[in-house]
Amino acid sequence: ARYYECILELLRAGVKTNTRANKVLEYSNYLKKYPMSRLKLPPIVMINNEFFDGTHRLSAIHLLENLLDTQNPVWCNCKLKVNFYKDK
């Protein structure tokens, strides 16, 4: 499964001891409180088509869309900048 799907399932199951899930939840709560802050998020970084940076941000938005703020259309329409690089 994808990282953001695993985080969603952990939080749906009520797991509170997973450090990564807790960080995503922290990001989600911040974004929910300050939705305009999404416009200032740094780009997701992909190197050789693999995540290098940004999985927590992407997972936070996925969590908002699918669990924490499902009635807010901001999250299903949210677009993040992604920078793609190839490792030499």
Side-chain angles (χ1 to χ4, degrees):
R2 293 187 172 112
Y3 180 79
Y4 58 86
E5 292 168 339
C6 293
I7 296 294
L8 178 62
E9 291 309 311
L10 285 170
L11 293 171
R12 276 189 175 148
V15 173
K16 297 183 190 241
T17 56
N18 185 286
T19 306
R20 291 177 179 172
N22 289 341
K23 181 53 76 176
V24 170
L25 184 58
E26 178 185 332
Y27 284 13
S28 293
N29 287 333
Y30 183 86
L31 286 166
K32 184 176 179 181
K33 187 173 182 179
Y34 305 102
M36 293 302 289
S37 68
R38 77 191 185 284
L39 302 174
K40 296 179 183 175
L41 291 173
I44 306 296
V45 176
M46 305 286 292
I47 298 178
N48 296 330
N49 293 322
E50 294 185 13
F51 280 100
F52 181 77
D53 185 41
T55 55
H56 287 92
R57 294 186 298 274
L58 182 63
S59 296
I61 291 169
H62 184 73
L63 186 62
L64 286 161
E65 180 184 2
N66 291 282
L67 184 66
L68 300 179
D69 201 17
T70 58
Q71 299 303 310
N72 190 340
V74 164
W75 309 120
C76 66
N77 295 314
C78 186
K79 295 194 182 347
L80 300 176
K81 182 174 172 72
V82 180
N83 291 341
F84 292 92
Y85 303 96
K86 289 219 182 252
D87 193 13
K88 295 180 182 180

